Amino acid sequence: MLTKVYTNIYLNEIPLPNNPLRALNSYIIISEDKNLIIDTGFNRKECKDALMKGIKELGLDLNNTYLLVTHLHADHSGLAGELNKAGVKVYAGKIDGKLINEMSSDEYWQGFEEYKILFDLEKDNISFDDHPGYKYCLKEPIDFIPLVEGDVLSIGEYSFEVIDIPGHTPGHIGFYEKKHKLFFGGDHVLESITPNISFWDFEEDILSVYFDSLKKIYNYNIDYLLSSHRNILRDHKRRISEMLAHHEERLQEIKEILKNKKMTVRDVAANMHWDLSYDKWEDFPNPQKWFASGEAMSHLEHLYYESEIGRFEENGILYYKMI
Ligand SMILES: [Zn+2]
């Protein structure tokens, strides 16, 4: 469904079937000589139909149309290959663009097998083929035009500046339009749901990186924060404060869970509270087990980096405990 949200800016709602996110907000910005699309939906028929319907309704010439990908997740980048084949040039952040191409090969996802053991998820009998990020991603690498912070993309009356907002993914970017106080923020700040902050590697405390990116955007002058899921935000400062408080509560919750014993990532995740309609961990669909473990992991690693908890490995499985 196509809705006009601002002068020459349209929201094309792309359904995400059987996914708790429900829909992706793809934005289309039109001008006399070129058009921009921000994010695409999964690489699956239902998303492609909706994406193409919006493009057709606005009568876009794909040879004068550019795709901007905010971050690597398949619900944002999945159809980049299809659009590219149809004549659209594709921009992505330097870091996530490279990762999107790496993720188009099965080898990347084999790495999940190692984490499955480390996180104690073997007993859940899950596999990376259950992961929507794997199922609906780009299947062949494409030539991205890489974007870095400070790059400016001009279209009609708008000038969009590329802003680094890492955290939700390692190379998440947003687009800021200073004059009109618009910010296309991808999944950085969302209304009514909290973006999944996952685990990427042991090299960095990604939750701290995310907190810094939230604080960075807090200070921007923004009238409309055009996010990729749920409603467009009018008061990003309130929402950022709520989200920072939410993660603080999560960290306290984990410390409480670890109070009396050492625990694996899976067991910490299973004991955390989730806004899902399942009574117990065993009922979680496999993709939700991946997401919950990743979320638990980013918080556990943050506490580890802050020297609040310890971690050790036993028989190839990772354990955390209070110090
Ligand atoms: Zn995302």
Side-chain angles (χ1 to χ4, degrees), residues 125-299:
N125 205 18
I126 77 178
S127 133
F128 69 85
D129 2 306
D130 301 319
H131 201 297
Y134 170 72
K135 273 204 278 196
Y136 305 124
C137 70
L138 211 78
K139 297 301 174 199
E140 272 171 32
I142 63 168
D143 281 331
F144 287 104
I145 307 166
L147 293 172
V148 294
E149 180 155 85
D151 283 350
V152 175
L153 299 156
S154 298
I155 170 166
E157 66 205 277
Y158 300 119
S159 287
F160 294 107
E161 186 186 343
V162 175
I163 310 290
D164 281 341
I165 39 173
H168 176 64
T169 62
H172 196 313
I173 55 172
F175 305 99
Y176 184 50
E177 216 292 328
K178 199 174 177 181
K179 197 168 123 210
H180 297 85
K181 299 179 196 152
L182 308 175
F183 187 68
F184 289 89
D187 286 357
H188 186 48
V189 180
L190 299 176
E191 190 60 275
S192 70
I193 51 173
T194 45
N196 177 246
I197 306 303
S198 199
F199 170 76
W200 297 88
D201 57 48
F202 289 99
E203 306 298 311
E204 110 185 306
D205 169 9
I206 193 78
L207 194 59
S208 275
V209 171
Y210 181 58
F211 290 163
D212 289 346
S213 294
L214 284 178
K215 289 170 193 160
K216 176 178 179 180
I217 294 312
Y218 185 93
N219 294 317
Y220 277 65
N221 197 354
I222 299 170
D223 254 357
Y224 290 85
L225 195 156
L226 300 113
S227 56
S228 293
H229 304 284
R230 309 295 159 92
N231 295 340
I232 291 168
L233 290 101
R234 297 300 310 275
D235 185 358
H236 72 293
K237 294 194 179 200
R238 170 198 48 85
R239 187 60 190 144
I240 287 174
S241 301
E242 284 171 7
M243 286 164 58
L244 286 166
H246 161 85
H247 288 287
E248 201 43 57
E249 274 170 36
R250 277 309 221 188
L251 292 165
Q252 292 307 324
E253 183 187 15
I254 289 176
K255 284 200 278 183
E256 200 55 43
I257 290 168
L258 285 175
K259 211 164 188 175
N260 299 315
K261 56 176 179 174
K262 64 173 189 182
M263 277 179 132
T264 67
V265 178
R266 174 197 186 268
D267 290 348
V268 170
N271 279 283
M272 288 167 74
H273 164 265
W274 302 100
D275 282 328
L276 293 168
S277 54
Y278 310 100
D279 290 337
K280 51 184 195 304
W281 177 260
E282 286 69 23
D283 299 336
F284 277 33
N286 284 346
Q288 297 309 321
K289 287 182 180 168
W290 274 127
F291 293 129
S293 301
E295 180 94 13
M297 192 58 190
S298 65
H299 288 73

Side-chain angles (χ1 to χ4, degrees), residues 16-45:
L16 303 173
N18 308 318
N19 190 298
L21 290 169
R22 305 205 289 251
L24 171 98
N25 299 334
S26 168
Y27 294 98
I28 301 177
I29 302 137
I30 58 167
S31 76
E32 300 221 325
D33 59 341
K34 65 177 169 186
N35 315 293
L36 296 181
I37 299 172
I38 300 180
D39 293 342
T40 68
F42 284 129
N43 188 6
R44 60 182 289 176
K45 189 179 180 300

